[in-house]
Amino acid sequence: MIKFFFYDKIIAKKGFDLVIAIYNIKGGVGKTSTTINLAFNASKKYKTLVWDLDPQGASTFYLEKKVKDKNLIKKAQKKGLAKFIQPTKLKNISLIPADLSLKDIYFEDDKTFKKLLKDIKKEFDFIFIDSPPTLSSISQNIFKASDVILIPTIPTILSVRTYNQIVNYFKDYTKNRYIFTFLSMVDKRKKMHLEISKKILNLPKKQILKTPIYNSTLVEKMGEHLMPVELFAPHSESAKSYKNLWQEILEKIQF
């Protein structure tokens, strides 16, 4: 039996400087593509920052930025995070890039991470965090410091199980925060994908976003074009899906 964990008490944070983390302990679930495409949709109206905290640096790659400062997090603890923000080729989107040193980052408490965020939050309307696929001190800090947590979930038994594990593991950190899941990389040709998708989307729960992101070669081609889907395939289903997903999130958080 598939179980889902939810929280009833969700308090809207109105105003700007919201932190949105895209997180999953599984790799290959569409985390980075979600980060870039949602950030792009946000940037149409709002000043937006992408903070790439995944050592693989996929968001940094998509935004065509090079790492200027290795061990950035350690340096930022002394100099502040604002110094390391880079402009990107996309209007209204800035980036804090990732490098491999992130794999060794350990926070003994949440004060350091929150302080780093506090230094820059007022400069942006939305901060998107591309989170590392781990259970670690950095992921715990991300959960504590974020206003919204998005968990992309592929419609398979194991992926749904992982979602449940994540929410259960972080239940002490999610008070007064939004935590959402949405269907990612849905393959219309797979019977199991369609069956599990139907079960999830039929649940009348606040934490289930109804907009699915279907498996598409266009999303894969983001690595070739190095830009959000809408910029090279504006009329595609994928571009419309990310736009609809962003609008659904805004409605959910009453923004």
Side-chain angles (χ1 to χ4, degrees):
M1 178 182 295
I2 301 175
K3 296 181 180 180
F4 299 87
F5 295 89
F6 303 101
Y7 301 97
D8 295 326
K9 187 177 181 182
I10 301 179
I11 299 176
K13 176 180 178 180
K14 297 189 176 181
F16 294 94
D17 62 270
L18 266 74
V19 179
I20 300 178
I22 295 82
Y23 176 81
N24 200 311
I25 57 175
K26 291 178 68 68
V29 298
K31 184 169 54 64
T32 297
S33 57
T34 298
T35 301
I36 297 298
N37 284 289
L38 291 186
F40 173 74
N41 277 282
S43 72
K44 294 175 184 178
K45 291 185 178 180
Y46 304 108
K47 191 176 180 182
T48 303
L49 173 71
V50 173
W51 188 358
D52 192 353
L53 279 171
D54 188 339
Q56 298 175 85
S59 284
T60 303
F61 172 74
Y62 280 161
L63 293 173
E64 293 189 89
K65 302 304 294 184
K66 294 182 179 180
V67 178
K68 297 179 180 179
D69 298 277
K70 295 183 179 179
N71 298 308
L72 185 151
I73 298 297
K74 291 182 178 180
K75 293 178 181 178
Q77 292 179 40
K78 297 180 180 179
K79 301 179 181 180
L81 200 54
K83 181 180 178 64
F84 302 97
I85 296 173
Q86 299 182 24
T88 73
K89 61 183 180 181
L90 300 178
K91 183 180 178 181
N92 279 344
I93 297 183
S94 299
L95 172 75
I96 301 174
D99 71 89
L100 284 175
S101 68
L102 286 168
K103 66 182 177 60
D104 299 318
I105 291 296
Y106 176 79
F107 292 103
E108 293 184 359
D109 56 59
D110 59 355
K111 293 180 181 179
T112 301
F113 189 80
K114 285 184 177 180
K115 185 180 184 302
L116 289 173
L117 269 175
K118 185 179 180 181
D119 290 342
I120 62 171
K121 281 184 71 173
K122 292 183 179 180
E123 301 298 319
F124 297 94
D125 300 319
F126 288 97
I127 297 175
F128 290 85
I129 297 179
D130 189 354
S131 308
T134 61
L135 284 174
S136 62
S137 69
I138 195 167
S139 55
Q140 290 173 356
N141 276 271
I142 288 170
F143 261 73
K144 290 179 181 179
S146 299
D147 302 295
V148 180
I149 298 109
L150 301 178
I151 304 175
T153 301
I154 300 174
T156 65
I157 297 295
L158 287 179
S159 291
V160 172
R161 177 176 179 269
T162 298
Y163 166 72
N164 287 324
Q165 289 175 322
I166 292 170
V167 178
N168 192 43
Y169 181 81
F170 286 109
K171 63 183 178 182
D172 293 335
Y173 306 144
T174 55
K175 185 180 180 181
N176 297 345
R177 290 175 175 81
Y178 293 95
I179 179 165
F180 299 129
T181 189
F182 65 94
L183 294 172
S184 178
M185 301 178 68
V186 182
D187 192 333
K188 298 178 182 179
R189 300 168 298 177
K190 294 183 178 180
K191 185 178 178 180
M192 177 176 285
H193 274 214
L194 297 178
E195 289 177 349
I196 295 179
S197 295
K198 187 175 180 180
K199 289 180 181 179
I200 295 174
L201 293 177
N202 281 341
L203 291 172
K205 300 293 185 180
K206 292 182 179 179
Q207 285 78 13
I208 299 292
L209 298 175
K210 299 291 185 180
T211 305
I213 303 298
Y214 292 103
N215 194 33
S216 170
T217 56
L218 289 176
V219 177
E220 295 176 5
K221 285 184 177 180
M222 284 177 60
E224 177 183 333
H225 294 278
L226 297 178
M227 61 181 65
V229 174
E230 189 173 330
L231 289 182
F232 65 89
H235 304 297
S236 65
E237 181 181 50
S238 296
K240 292 176 182 177
S241 294
Y242 284 117
K243 185 184 297 184
N244 291 339
L245 182 63
W246 175 239
Q247 289 303 314
E248 186 178 1
I249 291 168
L250 291 180
E251 291 172 8
K252 287 278 191 180
I253 64 177
Q254 303 173 29
F255 195 84

